Amino acid sequence: MLFYLGFYHVILSRILPCYFISDFTMLFYLGFYHVILSLIILQRSVHIKVVFLKVGEIDTVKEKYQADVYIQARWREPLLDMRQKKIWREIQYGKLDEAYVVEKRRIYGHFTEKLELNEFPFDSQFLNLSLSSELGANEVDMVEDDQEISFINVACFVDEQEWSLYDFVSSIKHVTTKEFSRSKNMKYPGISFGCCADRRYGFFIWNMILIMTFISLLSFSTFAVSRALTQNRLQLSMTLMLTSVAVRFVANQNLPKISYLTYMDIFILYCIAFTFGVCMWHAIISRFESNPALQEVIDNWAFVVFVIIYLLFNFIYFTVIVCK
């Protein structure tokens, strides 16, 4: 390309009059300048700024959230350094008179987010917004804008009763592939901006964990019934177990259909299993009716073992939650 531009300049200098040479010389050097820039700037950096103007309801069951987001993309454009071209997009100029094209968008809608619910209801969730380009990774590099910082408007958070929103925005660069790409090896640049929200677990402590604690503690009251009345012991234990199952169904309404256990699931399932174990023990101890003295000793020791198991689990469970 440089060869053809030089050859073009020599031919014009021989054909055209002298007073045209200076004009074509200037055009030649301008073309030379832009060609050099196009050779040097093979990959263009796009500086992204994201502002979460308003974050709405965070739906745990449907795994999505509402947000009003402002997005600004800014990239270097050497062809506009001379301030001679007028385009419909906004142009910003740096300290050295370098031109940047600015693209702005404001989006409001529902955004899907895969929630990590292993620690539910003591979990923290990152609400991410992913941006990508139709150009390949060898042409565009998407980076966070280091001159205009991304931020979030915490004061307009709608779901504050259930969540606590942190006042920061983080970004992670990534490379993606697209199904409609002509080449399987084609990589596209991307960047994700996200904010963090902590779930306020007070509701689940008072309405789930505390209720299940009371139900499982009532299992110890069945030992107060005479060992001769096995049917009464079993009746009380089964009633408590069915109540625990009902609470379990209520807890499932706050979660999507996930294939792993959450902290809440572990606690509720343990309480159900504990009540089930007490119920089975009352059925087993009835087989020792022929020896009342031995039956009393075994039953008393079983009561002590159940108390130790219950206290040990609760100690480990809440220690893990506090220390996480």
Side-chain angles (χ1 to χ4, degrees):
M1 185 179 295
L2 292 176
F3 170 77
Y4 285 113
L5 284 174
F7 179 76
Y8 178 67
H9 172 66
V10 172
I11 295 299
L12 290 176
S13 63
R14 293 297 181 90
I15 298 175
L16 297 177
C18 296
Y19 52 83
F20 282 118
I21 295 178
S22 58
D23 295 335
F24 279 98
T25 302
M26 182 182 67
L27 292 175
F28 167 75
Y29 285 115
L30 284 175
F32 178 80
Y33 169 72
H34 293 313
V35 169
I36 293 298
L37 285 177
S38 63
L39 293 175
I40 295 175
I41 309 176
L42 296 178
Q43 186 185 54
R44 187 158 300 181
S45 294
V46 179
H47 304 271
I48 307 295
K49 171 188 175 182
V50 172
V51 179
F52 290 88
L53 300 174
K54 182 179 180 181
V55 178
E57 180 185 1
I58 303 175
D59 193 334
T60 304
V61 177
K62 296 182 180 180
E63 295 189 279
K64 63 181 182 180
Y65 67 96
Q66 296 178 356
D68 187 3
V69 185
Y70 167 81
I71 303 172
Q72 175 180 294
R74 185 172 60 89
W75 64 90
R76 182 82 170 85
E77 185 51 74
L79 297 177
L80 300 176
D81 285 350
M82 308 305 295
R83 298 176 181 252
Q84 293 180 351
K85 294 187 176 181
K86 294 183 179 180
I87 61 175
W88 62 273
R89 288 188 175 89
E90 179 182 345
I91 306 297
Q92 293 182 355
Y93 291 93
K95 297 180 180 179
L96 301 178
D97 215 25
E98 66 274 18
Y100 288 88
V101 179
V102 180
E103 185 81 15
K104 298 179 180 179
R105 291 289 185 271
R106 182 170 178 175
I107 304 173
Y108 176 79
H110 292 79
F111 300 89
T112 303
E113 177 63 37
K114 182 180 179 182
L115 302 182
E116 299 294 335
L117 299 170
N118 302 76
E119 299 180 355
F120 175 87
F122 311 98
D123 55 326
S124 299
Q125 300 295 337
F126 274 93
L127 309 177
N128 294 306
L129 177 67
S130 297
L131 304 176
S132 183
S133 174
E134 296 296 331
L135 300 177
N138 58 338
E139 301 178 73
V140 173
D141 180 28
M142 303 182 72
V143 297
E144 184 178 3
D145 200 328
D146 55 354
Q147 296 185 11
E148 299 187 30
I149 189 172
S150 300
F151 62 92
I152 181 171
N153 187 6
V154 181
C156 293
F157 184 42
V158 175
D159 210 2
E160 191 174 359
Q161 294 292 334
E162 187 176 350
W163 298 85
S164 176
L165 196 62
Y166 287 97
D167 190 10
F168 75 90
V169 175
S170 61
S171 64
I172 300 176
K173 293 176 59 177
H174 57 84
V175 178
T176 62
T177 57
K178 297 183 179 179
E179 292 77 6
F180 53 82
S181 175
R182 295 180 180 178
S183 176
K184 294 183 178 180
N185 299 324
M186 189 68 176
K187 303 295 182 181
Y188 296 91
I191 186 170
S192 296
F193 290 84
C195 56
C196 182
D198 270 351
R199 191 187 304 272
R200 299 184 187 272
Y201 50 80
F203 172 84
F204 301 96
I205 291 289
W206 301 118
N207 294 277
M208 297 292 177
I209 294 180
L210 186 61
I211 298 300
M212 288 303 302
T213 302
F214 288 156
I215 294 174
S216 56
L217 283 175
L218 286 174
S219 299
F220 294 111
S221 66
T222 60
F223 285 90
V225 180
S226 175
R227 285 179 291 275
L229 301 174
T230 304
Q231 64 277 13
N232 292 344
R233 282 190 169 193
L234 291 175
Q235 183 181 10
L236 292 173
S237 300
M238 290 181 180
T239 301
L240 293 174
M241 184 175 175
L242 293 175
T243 305
S244 301
V245 173
V247 175
R248 167 67 176 165
F249 284 127
V250 173
N252 284 342
Q253 296 177 2
N254 296 300
L255 291 171
K257 296 180 180 179
I258 53 180
S259 59
Y260 52 86
L261 294 178
T262 66
Y263 281 4
M264 177 73 76
D265 294 331
I266 294 174
F267 187 84
I268 294 178
L269 289 176
Y270 166 76
C271 292
I272 295 175
F274 182 82
T275 308
F276 173 79
V278 172
C279 184
M280 291 300 297
W281 171 252
H282 293 325
I284 294 171
I285 196 61
S286 64
R287 309 308 301 170
F288 294 89
E289 293 178 352
S290 58
N291 192 344
L294 178 62
Q295 185 185 42
E296 181 180 0
V297 173
I298 296 177
D299 195 46
N300 292 335
W301 276 107
F303 178 80
V304 174
V305 170
F306 277 116
V307 170
I308 293 174
I309 292 175
Y310 185 82
L311 294 177
L312 184 61
F313 171 81
N314 281 272
F315 175 77
I316 296 174
Y317 181 84
F318 289 104
T319 301
V320 171
I321 292 175
V322 171
C323 296
K324 79 176 183 70

